[in-house]
Amino acid sequence: MTTQIPATTKQWTVSPTDGSKGFDVLKLSEVPVTPPGDSQVLVKIEAASLNYRDLLITRGTYPWLTTPNVVPGSDGAGTVLAVGKHVTRFRPGDKVLTLFNQAHIGGPVSAAYLSTGLGGALHGTLRGVGAFNEHGLVHMPAGLSAVEAAALPCAALTAWNALEGVRGGQWVLTQGTGGVSVAALQFAKAAGARVIATTGSKGKEEALRRLGADHVLNYNEVTDWGAKAKAITGGAGVDHVVEVAGPASMRQSIDAVRVGGVVSIIGFVGGAEGEKEPSFLETLTKMFTARGVAIGSRLQLEDMCRAIEANPDRLRPVVDDKVFGLEQLKEAYEYLQSGKHFGKVCIKMD
């Protein structure tokens, strides 16, 4: 299959050292498209999605490796334009997804893998065309649009990783309506678990119920929602907590989790100040596990994609109604920062 390779492509970069403030650190330019290297795959990126870490990178507060003038964005979906001479996993015309940590093929995460994150350490997906190592891509699930598929590499895989091993009948607590939490709700229900979801928006409560949440707690109305969640379980506590807000909500997560349960720490969208939990004694007496979850491996992404392909109606990625164009990237960042979205904030390339 022969596909024409464009001579140039538009791309965004993050230039935090030039004195700009806010999202003005994002710079749009047009650059030449170069052929893929021997082990690379050249991809026409058709859609991308944003994550909270993208906001942190523009602020210079992302705690992992970043490269000056990096092309941002970890999540992308598109079509293979060309492949290098040593590539065996893909051919032109294939539909593909990016892997967040490009070197994390399988097994436990390591410091070396964390230094290969797209949109931070390595050039990412917020461009029209990009070259990626063949091992940092997977085949897109059949039946999804590029926009839907672009919602998968970071948030959905993180939720999949966090809930790996969840069983039917268990209790799962999710927080808010961002990409990780919504995907966790979908995966938990598909596994037969019971889900308690939280939100601060009256308008989003019914949307969570439509996705299958068994109980929805509005944390602006129920300030002790951790204790309330535990009461809903009959006093035993939830088996899994998907913790996305950070120190702002960890107290409630500890109140909610059962003895011997798991709190998967995903992020800190509620801010990173005021970290005081858990106490030494409380960790001992409740014997719960608090673990950080760093996205997931390529093998896990492939497993997740197969599950979605087999259950497209139940596991179709949830994309916010407001989809942006590539040139509207700053507006998309502002929308993500506002917290008004439900599910993933996505970019559809022109």
Side-chain angles (χ1 to χ4, degrees):
M1 178 177 180
T2 302
T3 306
Q4 185 174 0
I5 299 174
T8 63
T9 188
K10 291 181 180 178
Q11 70 174 28
W12 288 91
T13 55
V14 181
S15 306
T17 60
D18 66 357
S20 300
K21 295 182 179 180
F23 299 134
D24 286 337
V25 300
L26 293 166
K27 308 294 183 184
L28 180 63
S29 62
E30 190 156 349
V31 298
V33 173
T34 57
D38 290 349
S39 298
Q40 288 186 316
V41 176
L42 191 68
V43 179
K44 176 178 171 55
I45 302 171
E46 295 162 359
S49 72
L50 300 183
N51 298 289
Y52 180 69
R53 58 97 75 160
D54 296 311
L55 303 180
L56 299 181
I57 289 171
T58 65
R59 299 170 191 163
T61 58
Y62 187 59
W64 290 279
L65 178 65
T66 57
T67 299
N69 298 307
V70 71
V71 175
S74 58
D75 299 15
T79 302
V80 174
L81 294 176
V83 300
K85 64 181 182 180
H86 296 323
V87 172
T88 60
R89 300 184 64 244
F90 302 98
R91 60 185 180 181
D94 284 351
K95 299 293 185 179
V96 295
L97 290 178
T98 54
L99 174 67
F100 185 102
N101 287 316
Q102 290 279 284
H104 190 187
I105 307 304
V109 71
S110 71
Y113 297 155
L114 292 175
S115 67
T116 64
L118 286 182
L122 306 178
H123 289 317
T125 59
L126 289 168
R127 47 181 166 164
V129 177
F132 305 90
N133 186 282
E134 68 165 327
H135 296 296
L137 298 169
V138 304
H139 290 279
M140 185 189 303
L144 299 188
S145 69
V147 170
E148 291 170 332
L152 298 177
C154 180
L157 182 57
T158 300
W160 178 270
N161 188 355
L163 293 180
E164 197 165 32
V166 67
R167 299 188 301 277
Q170 290 187 326
W171 285 97
V172 173
L173 173 65
T174 65
Q175 300 173 354
T177 54
V180 174
S181 299
V182 169
L185 167 54
Q186 292 176 289
F187 292 143
K189 291 304 298 181
R194 295 169 287 184
V195 177
I196 303 169
T198 71
T199 179
S201 168
K202 291 291 293 183
K204 295 177 179 179
E205 291 180 18
E206 186 53 38
L208 287 168
R209 292 190 180 95
R210 286 197 299 271
L211 283 175
D214 299 277
H215 302 270
V216 179
L217 301 177
N218 189 313
Y219 54 74
N220 288 325
E221 298 176 355
V222 184
T223 56
D224 59 342
W225 50 267
K228 179 63 175 178
K230 184 175 181 179
I232 288 172
T233 70
V238 301
D239 300 278
H240 300 267
V241 179
V242 180
E243 171 58 67
V244 301
S249 64
M250 189 62 177
R251 170 73 268 151
Q252 299 301 319
S253 294
I254 294 170
D255 289 346
V257 73
R258 68 169 173 82
V259 172
V262 177
V263 178
S264 292
I265 299 172
I266 310 302
F268 45 95
V269 297
E273 300 299 321
E275 185 171 357
K276 298 178 180 178
E277 309 291 353
S279 70
F280 178 86
L281 184 59
E282 189 170 38
T283 305
L284 177 62
T285 56
K286 293 201 75 170
M287 292 181 287
F288 68 94
T289 298
R291 65 175 190 132
V293 176
I295 322 299
S297 69
R298 195 188 80 197
L299 295 180
Q300 288 175 307
L301 181 58
E302 290 169 335
D303 285 344
M304 183 189 75
C305 286
R306 283 191 288 268
I308 292 170
E309 190 169 299
N311 300 275
D313 294 332
R314 173 174 279 187
L315 297 179
R316 187 172 299 279
V318 177
V319 174
D320 189 86
D321 291 338
K322 196 168 185 176
V323 176
F324 297 83
L326 182 60
E327 296 193 6
Q328 298 174 299
L329 187 64
K330 292 182 183 180
E331 291 91 332
Y333 272 60
E334 290 167 355
Y335 185 61
L336 177 64
Q337 182 173 259
S338 75
K340 296 177 181 178
H341 59 289
F342 188 96
K344 292 292 291 180
V345 176
C346 289
I347 312 294
K348 186 176 182 180
M349 308 309 178
D350 299 331

